[in-house]
Amino acid sequence: MSLVSKFATVGGATLVSRIFGFAREMMMASALGVGPVADAFNLAFRFPNLFRRFFAEGALNAAFVPLFSRALEEEGEAGARRFATEIFSSLTLVLFTLTIPAIVFMPFLVRTIIAPGLNLCIDEAAAAQALSCADRFDITVAFSRIMFPYLASMSLVAMVSGILNAYRRFFAAAAAPALLNVFLIAVLGWSLWTGQTTRTLGFAMSWGVLAAGVAQFVMVAVAMRMAGFSIALQRPRWTPGLKRLLVLAGPAALIGGITQINLFVGQAVASFKPGAVSILTYADRPYQLPLGMVGVAIGVVLLPELSRALKGGRLAEAQHTQNRSLEFALFLTLPAAVALFIIPEPIVRVIYERGAFGPDTTAAVAAVLGIYALGLPAFVMIRVFTPGYFAREDTRRPMLVTVASAVANTVLSVGLFFVMEEKGIALATTLAGWLNALLLFHGLYARGLWAVDGPLVRRCLMLLVCALAMGGLLIFAMPLLDGWIMPSAGLHRQLAGIGVLVLIAMAAYFALCLLTGGADRQTVGRLQRLRRPRRGA
């Protein structure tokens, strides 16, 4: 299976999850809008998500996969199973030790970390879906307590997914997150059908998140057994393998969670303004679609590929893999960033504007989405650059970069929020993302770990030119379809109008890329063959 085929496998599964995520956010926006229950749920859900990125997707994916791949290559399956069992047992103990105190002390965590803005809350009885400040605090604590064990489930999911990725079984691990969206869609559908209150819906969604975490673990565990690999729970022991994992995992926890760190800091600051947390969350969903399809897919596939190439001494192969991965990432990300920056309001209107989600909220969310779009290439490039460090078991340097980026994001978020409100937080996140990406690349390039070849430079420049030309075409075409994408048009006309804009933009972009040499013709050919069903299959 080629590198592009592996990217497509993970990206396709992630796309399915993101589509379900869109449906979930559409239903949630209709049911809750940007009211206090939506803010409480988003704040509570972000907290375990932050730790999930720290200890699960960040630390385990960055530290566990290279070490597990090494054990598999050098000691065979028996050695890999022994190593995985050691880590699984220790991880289970750590998660249990972390979860219980967090649940007990959740009120303190809400006041100080999750939603410090609630300390300055002022009751607004006339506001939509009004809740007293005490009620807002109580439901935020309750939602957080219910959902925090989701961290434990997802950390175990991340470890098992790392095993599947090392065996190059990418699909199950990439498809498992869709279960979260399926569970929440079912909860939202039940609530809308039966006419539940927003408070009841918030509690039901919180329990749905926890149930989805358990279901995801069952799914990847079954996939692991089907791959012929199994692990057991035993008494945790201090071993050289565990020690090496912890040395790598500490810095990797910060690195892997940089996006969530930035978003979490932004939401904590946004809690000082009612509704701002939900505006940031709704804007994050369209932006996460291309980030998930491209960035997550490349990050998941690239790390084990680089690890195996470097462990086998195939340095030329590793350099080629890095360069072609960056080309592929920018080939798909640049046009998405330009489109989201130019037409955010029609997109937000089609996705969200119904029920409790009104035109004023559409404008606010669209403004934030446009700013997030400017940082999309940076966050995808972070996913491309970090495996270059992790595959070499170097987590210290990217950790320092992450700390610098997080500090810059915090300072900018606080400073810009009081000038631009939630738009300032989005701008801070975008600037911090670019700082992170540039520092990561400089670290690899300066140490000779990334040899930039001629095709990469030429194609990246052409891709940028093609994406900007596509943006100019979108600006020209929008007035021609004004009657189809305005609020007065029905939903079906708005969908058709945006569909036409997207088709025109895609056709122009891909044609320009092929004509100018911005896209590798072999890569495009592989993508076309992946979409074409095989005869006789």
Side-chain angles (χ1 to χ4, degrees), residues 160-183:
V160 177
S161 297
I163 294 172
L164 292 171
N165 292 339
Y167 274 92
R168 294 171 176 167
R169 303 289 186 93
F170 297 109
F171 182 78
L179 290 178
L180 171 65
N181 295 319
V182 170
F183 274 60

Side-chain angles (χ1 to χ4, degrees), residues 20-314:
F20 278 112
F22 265 120
R24 179 193 88 195
E25 294 296 331
M26 290 169 68
M27 296 173 71
M28 184 174 168
S30 178
L32 299 178
V34 292
V37 175
D39 275 359
F41 178 83
N42 288 321
L43 285 165
F45 187 42
R46 182 68 69 188
F47 193 55
N49 255 350
L50 174 67
F51 281 90
R52 175 172 64 89
R53 293 293 175 93
F54 275 174
F55 300 113
E57 296 176 4
L60 283 177
N61 191 51
F64 176 78
V65 172
L67 295 178
F68 183 82
S69 297
R70 175 195 285 181
L72 198 59
E73 290 278 342
E74 298 177 356
E75 304 176 41
E77 191 168 293
R81 180 178 289 108
R82 173 186 49 77
F83 174 70
T85 297
E86 292 172 358
I87 303 307
F88 182 79
S89 301
S90 301
L91 178 63
T92 301
L93 177 63
V94 169
L95 291 170
F96 181 81
T97 305
L98 175 67
T99 300
I100 299 303
I103 292 174
V104 172
F105 295 104
M106 193 59 70
F108 172 77
L109 294 175
V110 169
R111 287 192 185 94
T112 57
I113 299 175
I114 299 177
L118 291 180
N119 294 319
L120 302 178
C121 176
I122 299 175
D123 286 330
E124 298 179 356
Q129 304 179 25
L131 289 177
S132 69
C133 292
D135 284 342
R136 291 178 62 189
F137 177 81
D138 289 343
I139 62 172
T140 303
V141 170
F143 294 171
S144 300
R145 280 175 164 162
I146 294 169
M147 287 189 279
F148 193 82
Y150 176 73
L151 160 66
S153 296
M154 294 309 299
S155 297
L156 298 177
V157 167
M159 179 184 165
V160 177
S161 297
I163 294 172
L164 292 171
N165 292 339
Y167 274 92
R168 294 171 176 167
R169 303 289 186 93
F170 297 109
F171 182 78
L179 290 178
L180 171 65
N181 295 319
V182 170
F183 274 60
L184 292 182
I185 287 171
V187 169
L188 284 160
W190 164 80
S191 177
L192 293 171
W193 179 263
T194 57
Q196 300 295 320
T197 64
T198 56
R199 184 193 292 260
T200 301
L201 173 56
F203 277 100
M205 290 178 65
S206 300
W207 285 111
V209 168
L210 181 57
V214 175
Q216 288 178 67
F217 176 69
V218 172
M219 179 176 177
V220 295
V222 170
M224 179 180 66
R225 293 299 298 269
M226 292 176 65
F229 193 88
S230 61
I231 51 179
L233 192 64
Q234 65 179 27
R235 181 181 177 184
R237 294 182 298 111
W238 183 255
T239 63
L242 177 59
K243 180 180 178 180
R244 181 59 180 160
L245 180 85
L246 292 176
V247 169
L248 295 175
L254 282 174
I255 301 158
I258 180 58
T259 302
Q260 289 296 314
I261 292 172
N262 290 338
L263 292 174
F264 183 79
V265 169
Q267 287 198 346
V269 176
S271 67
F272 286 89
K273 177 191 173 185
V277 171
S278 296
I279 289 172
L280 291 169
T281 301
Y282 290 132
D284 183 55
R285 174 56 60 181
Y287 150 85
Q288 286 291 333
L289 178 63
L291 179 59
M293 282 182 59
V294 183
V296 172
I298 288 177
V300 167
V301 174
L302 185 56
L303 179 56
E305 292 296 315
L306 272 181
S307 297
R308 291 199 173 203
L310 292 171
K311 296 294 186 295
R314 302 186 297 275

Side-chain angles (χ1 to χ4, degrees), residues 357-428:
F357 199 103
D360 291 342
T361 308
T362 294
V365 172
V368 172
L369 175 58
I371 298 173
Y372 273 153
L374 297 175
L376 179 59
F379 283 108
V380 171
M381 286 192 290
I382 290 170
R383 303 293 183 110
V384 178
F385 296 147
T386 49
Y389 293 92
F390 295 156
R392 297 172 173 88
E393 299 181 16
D394 177 7
T395 55
R396 188 184 69 85
R397 289 180 178 86
M399 179 194 70
L400 296 176
V401 170
T402 299
V403 170
S405 173
V407 170
N409 178 63
T410 302
V411 173
L412 289 170
S413 292
V414 173
L416 293 174
F417 176 72
F418 295 101
V419 179
M420 303 171 62
E421 298 182 323
E422 62 273 357
K423 294 189 291 294
I425 294 174
L427 181 57

